Amino acid sequence: MSTAEPDPPLGYGSMRRKEDTRFIRGQGSFIDDIKLGGMLHGAVLRSPYAHARIQSIDVSAAQAHPRVRAVITGETLATRDLAWMPTLAGDTQAVLATDKVRFQGQEVAFVVADDRYAARDALELIDVEYEPLPTVMDARQALDPDAPVVRDDLGASNHIFDWESGDAARTDEIFAAADVTIAEDLLYPRVHPAPLETCGAIADFDPISGKLTVWSTSQAPHPHRLLYSMVAGVPEHKIRVISPDIGGGFGNKVPLYPGYLCAIVGSMITGRPVKWIEDRSENLMSTSFARDYHMHGEIAATRDGKILAVRVRVLADHGAFNGAAQPTKFPAGFFGVFTGSYDLQAAHCQVTGVYTNKAPGGVAYSCSFRITEAVYLVERMVDMLAFELDADAAELRMQNLLRPDQFPYTCATGWVYDSGDYTSTLQLALDKADYTGLRQEQAAGRERGELMGIGISFFTEAVGAGPRKHMDIMGLGMADGVELRVNPGGTAVLRIAVQTQGQGHETTFAQIVAEELGIPPDRIEVVHGDTDQTPFGLGTYGSRSTPVSGAATAVAARRIRDKARVVAAAMLEVATGDLEWEKGRWYVRGDPDQGRSIAEIALAAHSDLELPAGVEGQLDASCVYNPPNLTYPCGAYVCVVDVDPGTGKVEVRRFVAVDDCGVRINPMIVEGQIHGGLADGIGMALMEVIAYDTQGNCLGGSFMDYLLPTAVECPSWELGETVTPSPHHPIGAKGVGESATVGSPPAVVNAVIDALRPFGVRHADMPLTPAQVWRATQGRPLRTDLAQS
Amino acid sequence: MTVNGTEYTRDVEPRMLLIHFIRDELELTGSHWGCDTSNCGACVLWLDGTPLKSCTALAAMANGRDIRTVEGLERGGELDPVQQGFIACHGLQCGFCTPGMLMTARWLIDHHPHPTEAEIREAISGQICRCTGYENIVRSVRWAAEHPSGAAS
């Protein structure tokens, strides 16, 4: 376990976080902590129905409330051409419903009042007449000819897209000839990222200057600014988007939400700042969910365990609007990496996206654009193959994992894995867990009727989107800018296009500069989360900060180092070729005493020193980093569970996680990121689900119903690491923010199913609640996404 | 009521929640509002020396009573050992649950100076952290218990 040294390192290493000093004093500045003079408060009226036609909305009583300043409906917005907004997936979404409501919790009206209590009171005074319509809650029925049509504004079907990847014919051939094939339906249920801070915004429109300032819980302030400009008709240069301290994002805070736009319109109408903060139920019921993938997976292998091919058909439930936030050319995200960590001869997937009467979203919860679903699929299928072959799950993986000499490896669906040492990583995890000993203990326990399970997963991530040639969001290429300036006194300011929601950018990005330039991290200010203060970039999600903006930072720092060399040469009156770099200074080769520190060089660069022709003074640089490829972190996880045979309750006894995320800038922070993702895996595997009843009532609309893991459900995590640098990344780092969330759910599920081996259970869908586990032992597992009648 | 040693007198609506009173009226925004249902514990503060989820208490219920929030942990410019522990052991990431965790941690150590790992986990089991997987929170609390006078001890 890495602990921070009291003295910060001059570069990489475990270092106390710079941002902690405000948070441990309660001095963070989260959205609801911000108070502006004259600020009003907004609240959203939401639909109680999942599908209903709006017959009338009477706001007169609400408008007559003495503390209400404005009541906004879809009709109000329509007069400003604002009733609908674009989503990041190229669909449109109702800001406030005009024709009908399409999911429970959809936004119908917005009240602006003097305080938050009055705003809520006034919601009660709005009279909406609804005509309830039949619902489509089960994605498998969405394409039935007689299914109710969710988006009659678009057409006569609930179909959104078909997308495929891989070689269908070749895959079919291999399946037809294979010794062993296995097929299984797997549901990755709808879950919710549930950051502890809900979403919110404060909009402040100045009618004189025409300037709009929006403080919001945004993981992507620059793209949001463009969207606001498109929707609200305010030119981009007049919009400033500020992401203050954010209480966790996990993808939930990437999309644009109607509440943000309502706050903007509220400010435009009232001429005063308007704050809108959603409550927990609003967050769970209306903002971006994750997963909801109905997968039919198949795996083909030889009798002796050589995996040949994987085939999968997916029905993707996108809810009422296609609000998935992902690279535009990838409607199923990066699900194409379902080939996993194995040397397959062929693979094919076919994904169909459908509308249902559920909340929009889909790509969130640290999913690396759907690699979570991909890894779950392939790692469950491999375990099912082990089950059918009566093979050991670890040996089967070891037999099929990619070998180090196969990298860079082009997988059967065309993704180019940059580097990895998979077998060493798995072996380390097995050794740390004492896998052999565990299997012996399990065998002995089974004799006594104990249900102990050991689950393995091996994941390959693909993060750091991405090469702009292939990856854009709404036409915005996924490259990030940085600006780095060394001040005359030798301190530095780094401006980045990504921002922290807890990841610790203020610390790690300073460490990257420190490593490159030898300026101590505490003398480097990292500016982030403000479109007026930072260069353009796509934001923080998909584990892209270090792979993209981290690379940009290193490149900019190296440009400064090169410039410093020229200045140092002028100072020392030698040729640049005579200078050598050691961290923090240039010195004359063969005469180490003759040198200039970066601080001395910075001062000279701002001074009257005569520089060679063509060399500008000062010491600054910028970079827009366009990644040549994604980075491919990997990891091997071993989970040990004990299942209570009487109740089906699962206890996670141990969890061993060996991660390879390339070079680690701050090992303490990396380990913290992994810890958090492992807890997510326990949550998703064992307790989290957003389910619905047939009328479309959300059954996970509060923390009393949507269960999250606490400290007593989590074991003490046992971590290990291998380091295989990314060959194409300037510092060899690969990103780690989502690795554990991606990799851990199948390890937990595989462990529980392994524990249930005596009952002949091959698969049961998440979440593996006590009821679900018990029913699995009885041979009748539940459909976890729908209320059981 | 007295908050962090300062007396406040305000007229409030009977329905005003204590968390809103502390945050919006007194502008002590360290305590957070996370779930409305007493499940997440981002709003934990002390009422008469006992941790309380202030999202499900009314401000009026605290009439004449003594409240301590995260802003009242630091004494004379010295960070409380639990605050130091959370920095040293990376016990926070986004920082949203942290004030509530710190208040529970301080109470635990006051009443059980040498808590076991299980006791620490039990003590914070009514609070949710979405970032840390709890491991480093547990370590942070243990650090604070082992350093009763802070980093100098």
Side-chain angles (χ1 to χ4, degrees):
Chain A
M1 196 71 63
S2 300
T3 302
E5 301 301 326
D7 296 322
L10 194 63
Y12 304 156
S14 291
M15 169 187 160
R16 295 177 179 208
R17 297 198 325 164
K18 298 167 71 167
E19 35 278 87
D20 289 355
T21 51
R22 60 180 186 273
F23 292 130
I24 51 99
R25 290 177 169 89
Q27 299 298 320
S29 182
F30 297 96
I31 187 74
D32 200 17
D33 301 342
I34 298 169
K35 210 173 188 178
L36 303 181
M39 189 171 74
L40 302 173
H41 295 260
V44 173
L45 180 72
R46 295 178 182 277
S47 167
Y49 294 101
H51 202 194
R53 197 159 297 288
I54 295 176
Q55 292 182 319
S56 66
I57 304 179
D58 181 356
V59 299
S60 54
Q63 264 168 338
H65 188 289
R67 286 149 78 188
V68 167
R69 302 300 176 118
V71 181
I72 298 164
T73 63
E75 221 170 279
T76 326
L77 296 180
T79 63
R80 296 165 174 255
D81 206 16
L82 265 170
W84 292 75
M85 64 177 189
T87 70
L88 292 173
D91 194 1
T92 53
Q93 176 174 353
V95 179
L96 293 175
T98 47
D99 51 346
K100 63 178 192 175
V101 289
R102 294 172 170 84
F103 68 93
Q104 187 186 52
Q106 188 179 338
E107 300 79 1
V108 174
F110 188 75
V111 168
V112 181
D114 289 342
D115 64 82
R116 63 176 95 220
Y117 284 61
R120 294 270 168 163
D121 286 345
L123 296 184
E124 304 286 323
L125 300 174
I126 299 174
D127 189 13
V128 185
E129 271 188 67
Y130 296 98
E131 177 200 344
L133 299 168
T135 59
V136 50
M137 303 311 300
D138 184 343
R140 297 170 308 170
Q141 292 162 5
L143 298 178
D144 289 353
D146 58 347
V149 177
V150 179
R151 297 296 299 279
D152 44 354
D153 56 309
L154 296 178
S157 156
N158 292 318
H159 180 267
I160 308 177
F161 66 85
D162 284 309
W163 179 82
E164 65 176 319
S165 181
D167 185 334
R170 175 91 184 105
T171 307
D172 292 349
E173 275 172 30
I174 291 172
F175 266 87
D179 299 344
V180 183
T181 63
I182 296 168
E184 185 68 77
D185 288 317
L186 302 92
L187 169 70
Y188 207 131
R190 174 174 283 234
V191 290
H192 196 282
L196 204 52
E197 177 205 36
T198 60
C199 298
I202 302 170
D204 186 12
F205 182 70
D206 179 351
I208 310 298
S209 65
K211 178 105 185 176
L212 171 67
T213 307
V214 185
W215 290 259
S216 67
T217 47
S218 171
Q219 294 179 233
H222 287 280
H224 278 192
R225 183 176 61 159
L226 178 65
L227 280 170
Y228 290 139
S229 168
M230 291 165 63
V231 180
V234 180
E236 228 176 331
H237 70 292
K238 291 285 190 186
I239 302 176
R240 178 181 185 186
V241 178
I242 300 171
S243 292
D245 286 328
I246 294 185
F250 317 114
N252 184 237
K253 292 167 179 170
V254 178
L256 203 62
Y257 292 122
Y260 301 165
L261 278 165
C262 287
I264 290 172
V265 175
S267 180
M268 288 175 162
I269 288 176
T270 61
R272 289 167 60 174
V274 173
K275 177 189 273 189
W276 165 73
I277 306 290
E278 67 187 7
D279 66 23
R280 178 56 57 190
S281 292
E282 293 180 285
N283 179 252
L284 288 169
M285 291 173 68
S286 74
T287 63
S288 186
F289 75 93
R291 327 291 191 250
D292 218 341
Y293 254 35
H294 302 244
M295 302 182 278
H296 181 73
E298 296 173 90
I299 190 165
T302 64
R303 178 63 56 195
D304 60 4
K306 168 70 185 154
I307 303 171
L308 302 173
V310 175
R311 188 164 61 187
V312 54
R313 284 189 60 87
V314 180
L315 194 56
D317 186 338
H318 282 241
F321 305 98
N322 187 13
Q326 66 202 356
T328 305
K329 297 184 188 79
F330 298 83
F334 296 169
F335 186 78
V337 193
F338 70 94
T339 49
S341 313
Y342 310 103
D343 189 13
L344 306 181
Q345 294 177 9
H348 182 252
C349 74
Q350 207 274 321
V351 183
T352 299
V354 296
Y355 291 119
T356 61
N357 289 118
K358 300 182 186 177
V363 175
Y365 210 164
S366 309
C367 73
S368 297
F369 304 123
R370 305 272 193 201
I371 293 180
T372 321
E373 289 92 321
V375 166
Y376 180 72
L377 173 93
V378 68
E379 289 305 294
R380 280 299 299 129
M381 295 312 298
V382 169
D383 252 41
M384 287 182 220
L385 180 63
F387 181 101
E388 292 298 329
L389 296 175
D390 203 20
D392 179 85
E395 282 172 24
L396 184 66
R397 284 182 172 81
M398 206 53 105
Q399 179 186 349
N400 286 284
L401 282 176
L402 294 168
R403 298 183 317 274
D405 61 8
Q406 289 178 282
F407 291 90
Y409 174 80
T410 304
C411 80
T413 48
W415 302 74
V416 183
Y417 299 6
D418 60 351
S419 65
D421 185 350
Y422 292 4
T423 47
S424 299
T425 303
L426 178 56
Q427 192 57 54
L428 181 58
L430 297 174
D431 292 345
K432 280 185 82 72
D434 181 23
Y435 183 71
T436 311
L438 286 171
R439 284 291 177 206
Q440 288 165 354
E441 183 192 339
Q442 181 185 45
R446 275 185 183 157
E447 302 282 322
R448 299 188 294 270
E450 293 169 11
L451 301 180
M452 169 197 173
I454 305 156
I456 300 170
S457 79
F458 196 102
F459 66 89
T460 297
E461 266 264 68
V463 303
R468 65 199 304 172
K469 183 175 164 197
H470 305 297
M471 292 172 191
D472 68 276
I473 292 182
M474 299 195 67
L476 302 172
M478 299 187 78
D480 283 354
V482 301
E483 292 166 8
L484 176 59
R485 188 168 73 218
V486 183
N487 297 315
T491 62
V493 179
L494 175 72
R495 298 172 189 279
I496 54 175
V498 290
Q499 82 293 323
T500 176
Q501 303 113 35
Q503 297 93 334
H505 290 56
E506 292 168 30
T507 307
T508 46
F509 278 75
Q511 289 185 267
I512 295 172
V513 176
E515 179 75 22
E516 298 295 336
L517 293 180
I519 300 172
D522 57 4
R523 292 168 65 82
I524 301 163
E525 187 71 12
V526 177
V527 180
H528 61 102
D530 181 345
T531 56
D532 269 11
Q533 302 282 334
T534 60
F536 188 88
L538 272 276
T540 300
Y541 44 85
S543 298
R544 63 187 301 282
S545 285
T546 300
V548 187
S549 280
T553 299
V555 171
R558 288 171 192 178
R559 286 176 182 163
I560 284 190
R561 202 162 70 197
D562 291 343
K563 196 168 173 181
R565 184 181 201 171
V566 176
V567 178
M571 292 170 80
L572 293 163
E573 297 179 343
V574 297
T576 52
D578 294 335
L579 293 177
E580 297 252 345
W581 173 258
E582 66 179 354
K583 197 185 276 184
R585 74 194 278 270
W586 284 106
Y587 68 92
V588 179
R589 187 180 303 112
D591 189 3
D593 292 343
Q594 286 294 310
R596 291 290 182 270
S597 71
I598 194 80
E600 292 167 330
I601 296 168
L603 188 60
H606 289 80
S607 75
D608 57 359
L609 177 75
E610 194 158 336
L611 295 169
V615 178
E616 294 176 349
Q618 304 187 1
L619 206 50
D620 52 15
S622 63
C623 171
V624 177
Y625 189 77
N626 178 27
N629 187 9
L630 300 178
T631 56
Y632 291 77
C634 70
Y637 293 171
V638 180
C639 177
V640 184
V641 301
D642 296 296
V643 177
D644 184 323
T647 64
K649 183 173 184 290
V650 176
E651 186 168 321
V652 179
R653 187 203 302 183
R654 289 181 64 196
F655 202 111
V656 174
V658 177
D659 272 84
D660 189 337
C661 57
V663 171
R664 297 184 174 200
I665 298 161
N666 185 324
M668 180 189 81
I669 286 180
V670 168
E671 288 169 10
Q673 297 261 292
I674 294 166
H675 290 157
L678 296 175
D680 285 344
I682 290 197
M684 281 179 265
L686 301 181
M687 59 192 86
E688 296 176 32
V689 61
I690 299 281
Y692 292 85
D693 69 13
T694 49
Q695 278 79 47
N697 294 303
C698 176
L699 306 179
S702 82
F703 279 170
M704 291 190 289
D705 307 299
Y706 188 71
L707 303 184
L708 294 165
T710 73
V712 295
E713 282 90 32
C714 295
S716 183
W717 315 109
E718 303 168 57
L719 304 191
E721 66 174 281
T722 53
V723 178
T724 314
S726 169
H728 64 77
H729 189 276
I731 62 173
K734 289 187 169 184
V736 73
E738 300 167 318
S739 285
T741 315
V742 167
S744 59
V748 181
V749 173
N750 285 347
V752 175
I753 301 299
D754 183 56
L756 302 183
R757 183 75 187 233
F759 295 92
V761 175
R762 194 177 80 171
H763 178 69
D765 287 328
M766 299 183 284
L768 296 166
T769 60
Q772 174 74 328
V773 170
W774 189 82
R775 290 189 63 136
T777 65
Q778 309 301 306
R780 47 195 180 97
L782 298 163
R783 270 290 300 271
T784 54
D785 58 334
L786 297 169
Q788 306 293 308
S789 52
Chain B
M1 68 178 79
T2 304
V3 182
N4 300 330
T6 304
E7 229 173 89
Y8 296 92
T9 305
R10 295 281 194 284
D11 287 327
V12 298
E13 283 189 68
R15 62 175 173 170
M16 177 173 274
L17 297 175
L18 180 56
I19 182 68
H20 287 148
F21 178 76
I22 296 287
R23 289 178 48 81
D24 295 348
E25 300 292 318
L26 304 188
E27 299 191 356
L28 294 169
T29 54
S31 308
H32 298 135
W33 177 59
C35 76
D36 311 308
T37 49
S38 291
N39 291 90
C40 83
C43 61
V44 167
L45 45 70
W46 288 10
L47 181 70
D48 289 342
T50 303
L52 171 84
K53 288 176 174 168
S54 61
C55 75
T56 33
L58 297 170
M61 292 161 70
N63 187 32
R65 300 173 74 173
D66 185 55
I67 284 176
R68 190 179 182 196
T69 69
V70 67
E71 289 90 345
L73 276 181
E74 202 173 350
R75 292 280 161 89
E78 281 289 308
L79 290 178
D80 188 280
V82 295
Q83 292 172 305
Q84 296 183 29
F86 271 66
I87 293 177
C89 300
H90 190 28
L92 67 152
Q93 289 180 32
C94 81
F96 201 77
C97 76
T98 311
M101 291 289 182
L102 289 170
M103 296 313 290
T104 299
R106 181 69 265 158
W107 183 89
L108 174 70
I109 296 171
D110 283 350
H111 293 78
H112 303 277
H114 307 290
T116 63
E117 177 181 337
E119 285 168 342
I120 296 170
R121 287 182 182 272
E122 178 69 27
I124 59 169
S125 65
Q127 290 165 252
I128 289 170
C129 170
R130 301 290 291 135
C131 300
T132 66
Y134 304 103
E135 178 84 27
N136 286 346
I137 294 179
V138 173
R139 289 176 66 218
S140 301
V141 178
R142 194 185 295 130
W143 187 100
E146 288 166 1
H147 298 78
S149 308
S153 64

